[in-house]
Amino acid sequence: MLTSQRQSPGRESGALADLPVILSAEALDRIWTGDFDGANALIEESGHVAAATGSRLPPFAGLRMLACQGREAEASALIEGTIAMAQTVGA
């Protein structure tokens, strides 16, 4: 997978600013293929890297995961939190 190939150079070169986006894209791909465990691991790693770098990447992969699993209450809460964050930072 292209995104898998892009993860290693980002990690090795220290290009952490791009890594959350790459990990999120890979997670979205895994969700579409039904690999929820793999996607969840990537979502978690993306969150850790984003927190460490101060990135405010919207949780697209997390939202897709919750929606595909039919977890409506959790998805709704995450959507509301994302909207609130966007309003706070002016996005």
Coordinates of all heavy atoms in Angstrom, one line a residue:
M1 N 0.8 -1.2 0.0 CA 0.0 0.0 0.0 C 0.9 1.2 0.0 O 1.9 1.3 0.7 CB -0.9 0.0 1.2 CG -2.0 -1.0 1.2 SD -3.0 -0.9 2.7 CE -3.7 -2.5 2.7
L2 N 0.5 2.2 -0.7 CA 1.2 3.5 -0.9 C 1.4 4.1 0.5 O 2.5 4.5 0.8 CB 0.5 4.4 -1.8 CG 1.2 5.8 -2.0 CD1 2.6 5.5 -2.6 CD2 0.4 6.6 -3.0
T3 N 0.3 4.2 1.3 CA 0.5 4.9 2.6 C 1.4 4.1 3.5 O 2.2 4.7 4.2 CB -0.9 5.1 3.2 OG1 -1.6 3.9 3.3 CG2 -1.7 6.2 2.5
S4 N 1.4 2.8 3.4 CA 2.3 2.0 4.2 C 3.8 2.3 3.9 O 4.6 2.4 4.7 CB 2.1 0.5 4.0 OG 0.8 0.2 4.5
Q5 N 4.0 2.5 2.6 CA 5.3 2.8 2.1 C 5.8 4.2 2.5 O 7.0 4.5 2.7 CB 5.4 2.7 0.6 CG 5.2 1.3 0.1 CD 5.0 1.3 -1.4 OE1 4.8 2.3 -2.1 NE2 4.9 0.1 -2.0
R6 N 4.8 5.1 2.7 CA 5.1 6.5 3.1 C 5.4 6.6 4.6 O 6.0 7.6 5.1 CB 4.0 7.4 2.7 CG 3.8 7.5 1.2 CD 2.7 8.3 0.9 NE 3.1 9.5 0.2 CZ 2.4 10.5 -0.1 NH1 1.2 10.6 0.4 NH2 2.9 11.5 -0.8
Q7 N 4.9 5.6 5.4 CA 5.1 5.7 6.9 C 6.5 5.6 7.3 O 7.0 6.4 8.1 CB 4.3 4.6 7.6 CG 2.8 4.8 7.5 CD 2.1 3.6 8.2 OE1 2.6 3.0 9.1 NE2 0.9 3.3 7.6
S8 N 7.2 4.7 6.8 CA 8.6 4.4 7.2 C 9.5 5.6 7.0 O 10.2 6.0 7.9 CB 9.2 3.2 6.5 OG 8.5 2.1 7.0
P9 N 9.5 6.3 5.8 CA 10.4 7.4 5.6 C 10.0 8.6 6.6 O 10.9 9.3 7.1 CB 10.2 7.8 4.2 CG 9.7 6.6 3.5 CD 8.9 5.9 4.5
G10 N 8.7 8.7 6.9 CA 8.3 9.8 7.8 C 8.8 9.5 9.2 O 9.3 10.5 9.9
R11 N 8.8 8.3 9.6 CA 9.3 8.0 10.9 C 10.8 8.1 11.0 O 11.3 8.6 12.0 CB 8.8 6.5 11.3 CG 7.4 6.4 11.6 CD 7.1 5.0 12.0 NE 5.7 4.8 12.4 CZ 4.8 4.1 11.8 NH1 5.2 3.4 10.7 NH2 3.6 4.0 12.2
E12 N 11.4 7.6 10.0 CA 12.9 7.6 10.0 C 13.5 8.9 9.9 O 14.5 9.2 10.5 CB 13.4 6.7 8.8 CG 13.1 5.2 9.0 CD 13.3 4.4 7.8 OE1 13.8 4.9 6.8 OE2 12.9 3.2 7.8
S13 N 12.9 9.8 9.1 CA 13.4 11.2 8.9 C 13.0 12.1 10.0 O 13.5 13.3 10.0 CB 13.0 11.7 7.5 OG 11.6 12.0 7.5
G14 N 12.1 11.7 10.8 CA 11.6 12.6 11.8 C 10.5 13.6 11.3 O 10.3 14.6 12.0
A15 N 10.0 13.3 10.2 CA 8.9 14.2 9.6 C 7.6 13.9 10.3 O 6.6 13.4 9.7 CB 8.8 14.0 8.1
L16 N 7.5 14.2 11.6 CA 6.4 13.8 12.3 C 5.1 14.7 12.0 O 4.0 14.2 12.2 CB 6.7 14.0 13.8 CG 7.7 13.0 14.4 CD1 7.9 13.3 15.9 CD2 7.3 11.6 14.1
A17 N 5.3 15.9 11.4 CA 4.2 16.7 11.1 C 3.2 16.1 10.1 O 2.0 16.2 10.2 CB 4.6 18.1 10.6
D18 N 3.8 15.3 9.2 CA 3.0 14.6 8.1 C 2.5 13.3 8.6 O 1.5 12.8 8.0 CB 3.8 14.5 6.9 CG 4.2 15.8 6.2 OD1 3.4 16.8 6.4 OD2 5.2 15.8 5.5
L19 N 3.1 12.7 9.6 CA 2.7 11.3 10.0 C 1.3 11.1 10.4 O 0.7 10.1 10.0 CB 3.7 10.8 11.0 CG 3.7 9.3 11.3 CD1 4.0 8.5 10.0 CD2 4.8 9.0 12.3
P20 N 0.7 12.0 11.2 CA -0.7 11.8 11.5 C -1.7 11.7 10.3 O -2.6 10.9 10.3 CB -1.1 13.0 12.4 CG 0.2 13.5 12.9 CD 1.2 13.2 11.9
V21 N -1.4 12.5 9.3 CA -2.2 12.4 8.0 C -2.0 11.1 7.3 O -3.0 10.5 6.9 CB -1.9 13.6 7.1 CG1 -2.6 13.5 5.8 CG2 -2.2 14.9 7.8
I22 N -0.8 10.7 7.2 CA -0.5 9.4 6.6 C -1.1 8.2 7.3 O -1.7 7.4 6.7 CB 1.1 9.3 6.4 CG1 1.6 10.3 5.5 CG2 1.4 7.9 5.9 CD1 3.1 10.5 5.5
L23 N -0.9 8.2 8.6 CA -1.5 7.2 9.5 C -3.0 7.2 9.4 O -3.7 6.1 9.3 CB -1.1 7.3 10.9 CG 0.4 7.1 11.2 CD1 0.8 7.6 12.6 CD2 0.8 5.7 11.0
S24 N -3.6 8.3 9.4 CA -5.1 8.4 9.2 C -5.6 7.9 7.9 O -6.5 7.1 7.8 CB -5.5 9.9 9.4 OG -6.9 10.0 9.3
A25 N -4.8 8.2 6.8 CA -5.2 7.7 5.5 C -5.1 6.2 5.4 O -5.9 5.5 4.8 CB -4.3 8.3 4.4
E26 N -4.0 5.7 6.0 CA -3.9 4.2 6.1 C -5.0 3.6 6.9 O -5.5 2.5 6.5 CB -2.5 3.8 6.7 CG -2.2 2.4 6.9 CD -2.0 1.6 5.6 OE1 -1.7 2.3 4.5 OE2 -2.1 0.4 5.6
A27 N -5.4 4.2 8.0 CA -6.5 3.7 8.8 C -7.8 3.7 8.0 O -8.5 2.7 8.1 CB -6.6 4.5 10.1
L28 N -8.0 4.7 7.2 CA -9.2 4.7 6.4 C -9.2 3.6 5.4 O -10.3 2.9 5.2 CB -9.4 6.1 5.7 CG -9.8 7.3 6.5 CD1 -9.5 8.6 5.8 CD2 -11.2 7.1 7.0
D29 N -8.1 3.3 4.8 CA -8.0 2.2 3.9 C -8.3 0.9 4.6 O -9.0 0.0 4.1 CB -6.6 2.2 3.3 CG -6.4 1.1 2.2 OD1 -7.1 1.1 1.2 OD2 -5.6 0.2 2.4
R30 N -7.7 0.7 5.8 CA -8.0 -0.6 6.5 C -9.4 -0.7 6.9 O -9.9 -1.8 7.0 CB -7.0 -0.6 7.7 CG -5.6 -0.8 7.2 CD -4.7 -1.4 8.2 NE -3.4 -1.4 7.7 CZ -2.4 -1.9 8.4 NH1 -2.6 -2.5 9.5 NH2 -1.2 -1.9 7.9
I31 N -10.1 0.4 7.3 CA -11.5 0.3 7.6 C -12.3 -0.2 6.4 O -13.1 -1.1 6.6 CB -12.0 1.7 8.1 CG1 -11.4 2.1 9.4 CG2 -13.5 1.7 8.2 CD1 -11.5 3.5 9.8
W32 N -12.0 0.3 5.2 CA -12.7 -0.1 4.0 C -12.5 -1.6 3.7 O -13.3 -2.2 3.1 CB -12.3 0.7 2.8 CG -13.0 2.1 2.8 CD1 -12.3 3.3 2.9 CD2 -14.4 2.4 2.7 NE1 -13.3 4.3 2.8 CE2 -14.5 3.8 2.8 CE3 -15.5 1.6 2.6 CZ2 -15.8 4.4 2.7 CZ3 -16.7 2.2 2.6 CH2 -16.9 3.6 2.6
T33 N -11.3 -2.1 4.1 CA -11.1 -3.5 3.9 C -11.5 -4.4 5.0 O -11.3 -5.6 5.0 CB -9.6 -3.8 3.6 OG1 -8.8 -3.4 4.7 CG2 -9.1 -3.0 2.3
G34 N -12.0 -3.8 6.1 CA -12.6 -4.6 7.2 C -11.5 -4.9 8.3 O -11.8 -5.6 9.2
D35 N -10.3 -4.4 8.2 CA -9.3 -4.6 9.2 C -9.5 -3.6 10.3 O -8.7 -2.6 10.4 CB -7.9 -4.5 8.6 CG -6.8 -4.7 9.5 OD1 -7.1 -5.1 10.7 OD2 -5.6 -4.5 9.1
F36 N -10.5 -3.7 11.2 CA -10.8 -2.8 12.2 C -9.7 -2.7 13.3 O -9.4 -1.7 13.8 CB -12.1 -3.0 12.8 CG -13.3 -2.8 11.9 CD1 -14.3 -3.7 11.9 CD2 -13.3 -1.7 11.1 CE1 -15.4 -3.5 11.0 CE2 -14.4 -1.5 10.2 CZ -15.4 -2.4 10.2
D37 N -9.1 -3.9 13.6 CA -8.0 -3.9 14.6 C -6.8 -3.1 14.1 O -6.2 -2.3 14.8 CB -7.6 -5.3 14.9 CG -8.7 -6.1 15.7 OD1 -9.5 -5.4 16.4 OD2 -8.7 -7.3 15.7
G38 N -6.4 -3.3 12.9 CA -5.3 -2.6 12.3 C -5.6 -1.1 12.2 O -4.7 -0.3 12.5
A39 N -6.8 -0.8 11.8 CA -7.2 0.6 11.7 C -7.2 1.3 13.0 O -6.7 2.4 13.2 CB -8.6 0.7 11.1
N40 N -7.7 0.6 14.0 CA -7.7 1.2 15.4 C -6.3 1.4 15.9 O -6.1 2.5 16.5 CB -8.4 0.2 16.3 CG -8.8 0.9 17.6 OD1 -9.3 2.0 17.6 ND2 -8.5 0.2 18.8
A41 N -5.4 0.6 15.6 CA -4.0 0.8 16.0 C -3.4 2.0 15.3 O -2.7 2.8 16.0 CB -3.1 -0.5 15.7
L42 N -3.7 2.2 14.1 CA -3.2 3.4 13.3 C -3.9 4.6 13.8 O -3.2 5.7 13.9 CB -3.5 3.2 11.8 CG -2.6 2.1 11.2 CD1 -3.2 1.7 9.8 CD2 -1.2 2.6 11.0
I43 N -5.1 4.6 14.1 CA -5.9 5.8 14.7 C -5.2 6.2 16.0 O -5.0 7.3 16.3 CB -7.4 5.5 14.8 CG1 -8.0 5.3 13.5 CG2 -8.0 6.5 15.7 CD1 -9.4 4.7 13.5
E44 N -5.0 5.2 16.8 CA -4.3 5.5 18.1 C -3.0 6.1 18.0 O -2.6 7.1 18.6 CB -4.2 4.2 18.9 CG -3.9 4.4 20.4 CD -4.0 3.1 21.2 OE1 -5.0 2.4 21.1 OE2 -3.0 2.9 22.0
E45 N -2.1 5.5 17.1 CA -0.8 6.0 16.8 C -0.9 7.4 16.3 O -0.1 8.3 16.7 CB 0.0 5.1 15.9 CG 1.4 5.6 15.7 CD 2.2 4.7 14.7 OE1 1.7 3.7 14.3 OE2 3.4 5.1 14.5
S46 N -1.8 7.7 15.3 CA -2.0 9.0 14.8 C -2.3 10.0 15.8 O -1.8 11.1 15.8 CB -3.1 9.0 13.7 OG -3.3 10.2 13.2
G47 N -3.2 9.6 16.8 CA -3.5 10.5 17.9 C -2.4 10.9 18.8 O -2.2 12.0 19.2
H48 N -1.5 9.9 19.0 CA -0.4 10.1 19.9 C 0.6 11.1 19.2 O 1.1 12.0 19.8 CB 0.4 8.8 20.2 CG -0.4 7.9 21.2 ND1 -0.9 8.3 22.4 CD2 -0.8 6.6 21.0 CE1 -1.5 7.4 23.0 NE2 -1.5 6.3 22.2
V49 N 0.9 10.8 17.9 CA 1.8 11.7 17.2 C 1.2 13.1 17.0 O 1.9 14.1 17.2 CB 2.1 11.1 15.8 CG1 3.0 12.0 15.0 CG2 2.8 9.7 15.9
A50 N -0.1 13.2 16.7 CA -0.7 14.5 16.6 C -0.6 15.3 18.0 O -0.3 16.5 18.0 CB -2.2 14.3 16.2
A51 N -0.8 14.6 19.1 CA -0.7 15.2 20.4 C 0.7 15.7 20.6 O 0.9 16.8 21.1 CB -1.2 14.3 21.5
A52 N 1.7 14.9 20.2 CA 3.1 15.3 20.5 C 3.5 16.4 19.6 O 4.4 17.2 20.0 CB 4.0 14.0 20.2
T53 N 2.9 16.6 18.4 CA 3.3 17.6 17.5 C 2.4 18.8 17.5 O 2.7 19.8 16.9 CB 3.4 17.1 16.0 OG1 2.1 16.6 15.7 CG2 4.4 16.0 15.9
G54 N 1.3 18.7 18.3 CA 0.4 19.8 18.3 C -0.6 19.9 17.2 O -1.2 20.9 16.9
S55 N -0.7 18.9 16.4 CA -1.5 18.8 15.2 C -3.0 18.7 15.6 O -3.3 18.1 16.7 CB -1.2 17.6 14.4 OG -2.1 17.4 13.3
R56 N -3.9 19.4 14.9 CA -5.3 19.3 15.2 C -6.0 18.7 14.0 O -7.0 19.2 13.5 CB -5.8 20.7 15.4 CG -5.2 21.3 16.7 CD -6.0 22.6 17.1 NE -5.5 22.9 18.4 CZ -5.4 24.2 18.8 NH1 -5.7 25.2 18.0 NH2 -5.0 24.4 20.1
L57 N -5.6 17.5 13.6 CA -6.2 16.8 12.5 C -7.6 16.3 13.0 O -7.7 15.7 14.0 CB -5.3 15.6 12.2 CG -5.8 14.7 11.1 CD1 -5.7 15.4 9.7 CD2 -4.9 13.4 11.0
P58 N -8.6 16.6 12.2 CA -9.9 16.1 12.5 C -9.9 14.6 12.5 O -9.2 14.0 11.7 CB -10.8 16.7 11.4 CG -10.1 17.9 10.8 CD -8.6 17.5 11.0
P59 N -10.7 14.0 13.3 CA -10.7 12.5 13.5 C -11.5 11.8 12.4 O -12.4 11.0 12.7 CB -11.3 12.3 14.9 CG -12.3 13.5 15.0 CD -11.6 14.6 14.3
F60 N -11.1 12.0 11.1 CA -11.9 11.4 10.0 C -11.9 9.9 10.1 O -13.0 9.2 10.0 CB -11.3 11.8 8.7 CG -11.3 13.3 8.4 CD1 -10.2 13.9 8.1 CD2 -12.5 14.0 8.4 CE1 -10.2 15.3 7.9 CE2 -12.5 15.3 8.1 CZ -11.4 16.0 7.9
A61 N -10.8 9.3 10.4 CA -10.7 7.8 10.5 C -11.5 7.3 11.7 O -12.2 6.3 11.6 CB -9.2 7.3 10.5
G62 N -11.4 8.0 12.8 CA -12.2 7.5 14.0 C -13.6 7.6 13.7 O -14.4 6.7 14.1
L63 N -14.1 8.7 13.1 CA -15.5 8.8 12.7 C -16.0 7.7 11.8 O -17.0 7.1 12.0 CB -15.8 10.2 12.1 CG -15.7 11.4 13.1 CD1 -15.7 12.7 12.3 CD2 -16.8 11.3 14.1
R64 N -15.1 7.4 10.8 CA -15.5 6.4 9.8 C -15.6 5.0 10.5 O -16.5 4.2 10.3 CB -14.5 6.3 8.7 CG -14.6 5.1 7.8 CD -15.8 5.3 6.8 NE -15.5 6.4 6.0 CZ -16.4 6.9 5.2 NH1 -17.6 6.4 5.0 NH2 -16.2 8.0 4.5
M65 N -14.6 4.8 11.4 CA -14.6 3.5 12.2 C -15.9 3.4 13.0 O -16.6 2.3 12.9 CB -13.4 3.5 13.1 CG -13.4 2.3 14.1 SD -12.8 0.8 13.3 CE -11.1 1.0 13.7
L66 N -16.3 4.4 13.7 CA -17.5 4.3 14.6 C -18.7 4.1 13.7 O -19.6 3.3 14.0 CB -17.6 5.6 15.4 CG -16.5 5.7 16.5 CD1 -16.6 7.1 17.1 CD2 -16.6 4.6 17.5
A67 N -18.8 4.8 12.6 CA -19.9 4.7 11.7 C -20.0 3.3 11.1 O -21.1 2.7 11.0 CB -19.8 5.8 10.6
C68 N -18.9 2.8 10.6 CA -18.9 1.4 10.0 C -19.3 0.4 11.1 O -19.8 -0.7 10.7 CB -17.6 1.1 9.4 SG -17.3 2.0 7.9
Q69 N -19.0 0.6 12.3 CA -19.3 -0.3 13.4 C -20.7 -0.1 14.0 O -21.1 -0.8 14.9 CB -18.3 -0.3 14.5 CG -16.9 -0.8 14.0 CD -15.9 -0.7 15.1 OE1 -15.9 0.3 15.9 NE2 -14.9 -1.6 15.1
G70 N -21.4 0.9 13.5 CA -22.8 1.2 13.9 C -22.8 1.8 15.4 O -23.8 1.6 16.0
R71 N -21.8 2.4 15.8 CA -21.7 3.0 17.1 C -22.1 4.4 17.1 O -21.3 5.3 17.3 CB -20.2 2.8 17.6 CG -19.9 1.3 17.8 CD -18.4 1.0 17.9 NE -17.7 1.7 18.9 CZ -16.4 1.7 19.0 NH1 -15.7 0.9 18.2 NH2 -15.8 2.4 20.0
E72 N -23.4 4.6 16.9 CA -24.0 5.9 16.7 C -23.8 6.9 17.8 O -23.4 8.1 17.6 CB -25.5 5.8 16.4 CG -26.2 7.1 16.1 CD -27.6 6.9 15.7 OE1 -28.1 5.8 15.5 OE2 -28.3 7.9 15.7
A73 N -24.0 6.5 19.1 CA -23.8 7.4 20.2 C -22.4 7.9 20.3 O -22.2 9.1 20.5 CB -24.2 6.7 21.5
E74 N -21.4 7.0 20.1 CA -20.0 7.4 20.2 C -19.6 8.3 19.0 O -18.9 9.3 19.2 CB -19.1 6.2 20.2 CG -19.2 5.4 21.5 CD -18.6 4.0 21.4 OE1 -17.3 4.0 21.7 OE2 -19.2 3.1 21.0
A75 N -20.2 8.0 17.8 CA -19.9 8.8 16.7 C -20.5 10.2 16.9 O -19.8 11.2 16.6 CB -20.5 8.2 15.4
S76 N -21.7 10.3 17.4 CA -22.4 11.6 17.6 C -21.5 12.4 18.6 O -21.4 13.6 18.4 CB -23.8 11.4 18.2 OG -24.6 10.8 17.2
A77 N -21.1 11.8 19.7 CA -20.3 12.5 20.7 C -19.0 13.0 20.0 O -18.5 14.2 20.3 CB -20.0 11.6 21.9
L78 N -18.3 12.2 19.2 CA -17.1 12.6 18.5 C -17.4 13.7 17.5 O -16.6 14.7 17.4 CB -16.4 11.4 17.9 CG -15.0 11.7 17.2 CD1 -14.1 12.3 18.2 CD2 -14.5 10.4 16.6
I79 N -18.5 13.7 16.8 CA -18.8 14.7 15.9 C -19.0 16.0 16.6 O -18.5 17.1 16.2 CB -20.1 14.3 15.1 CG1 -19.8 13.2 14.1 CG2 -20.7 15.6 14.4 CD1 -21.0 12.6 13.5
E80 N -19.8 16.0 17.7 CA -20.0 17.2 18.5 C -18.7 17.8 19.1 O -18.5 19.0 19.0 CB -20.9 16.9 19.7 CG -22.4 16.7 19.2 CD -23.3 16.2 20.4 OE1 -23.0 16.5 21.5 OE2 -24.4 15.7 20.1
G81 N -17.8 16.9 19.5 CA -16.5 17.4 20.0 C -15.6 18.0 18.9 O -14.9 19.0 19.1
T82 N -15.7 17.4 17.7 CA -15.0 17.9 16.6 C -15.5 19.3 16.2 O -14.7 20.2 15.9 CB -15.0 16.9 15.4 OG1 -14.5 15.7 15.9 CG2 -14.2 17.4 14.2
I83 N -16.8 19.5 16.2 CA -17.4 20.7 15.8 C -17.0 21.8 16.8 O -16.6 22.9 16.5 CB -18.9 20.6 15.7 CG1 -19.3 19.8 14.5 CG2 -19.6 22.0 15.7 CD1 -20.8 19.4 14.4
A84 N -17.0 21.4 18.1 CA -16.6 22.4 19.2 C -15.2 22.8 19.0 O -14.8 24.0 19.2 CB -16.9 21.8 20.5
M85 N -14.3 21.8 18.7 CA -12.9 22.1 18.5 C -12.7 23.1 17.3 O -11.9 24.0 17.4 CB -12.1 20.9 18.3 CG -10.6 21.1 18.1 SD -9.6 19.7 17.6 CE -10.1 19.5 15.9
A86 N -13.4 22.8 16.3 CA -13.3 23.6 15.1 C -13.7 25.1 15.3 O -13.1 26.0 14.9 CB -14.1 23.0 13.9
Q87 N -14.8 25.2 16.1 CA -15.3 26.5 16.5 C -14.3 27.3 17.4 O -14.1 28.5 17.3 CB -16.7 26.4 17.1 CG -17.8 26.0 16.2 CD -19.1 25.7 16.9 OE1 -19.1 25.3 18.0 NE2 -20.1 25.8 16.1
T88 N -13.7 26.5 18.2 CA -12.7 27.1 19.2 C -11.4 27.6 18.4 O -11.0 28.7 18.7 CB -12.3 26.1 20.2 OG1 -13.4 25.7 20.9 CG2 -11.2 26.7 21.2
V89 N -10.9 26.8 17.5 CA -9.7 27.2 16.8 C -10.0 28.0 15.5 O -9.1 28.4 14.9 CB -8.9 26.0 16.4 CG1 -8.4 25.3 17.7 CG2 -9.5 25.0 15.5
G90 N -11.3 28.2 15.2 CA -11.6 29.0 14.0 C -11.4 28.3 12.7 O -11.2 28.9 11.7
A91 N -11.5 27.0 12.7 CA -11.4 26.2 11.4 C -12.6 26.2 10.6 O -13.7 26.4 11.1 CB -11.0 24.8 11.7

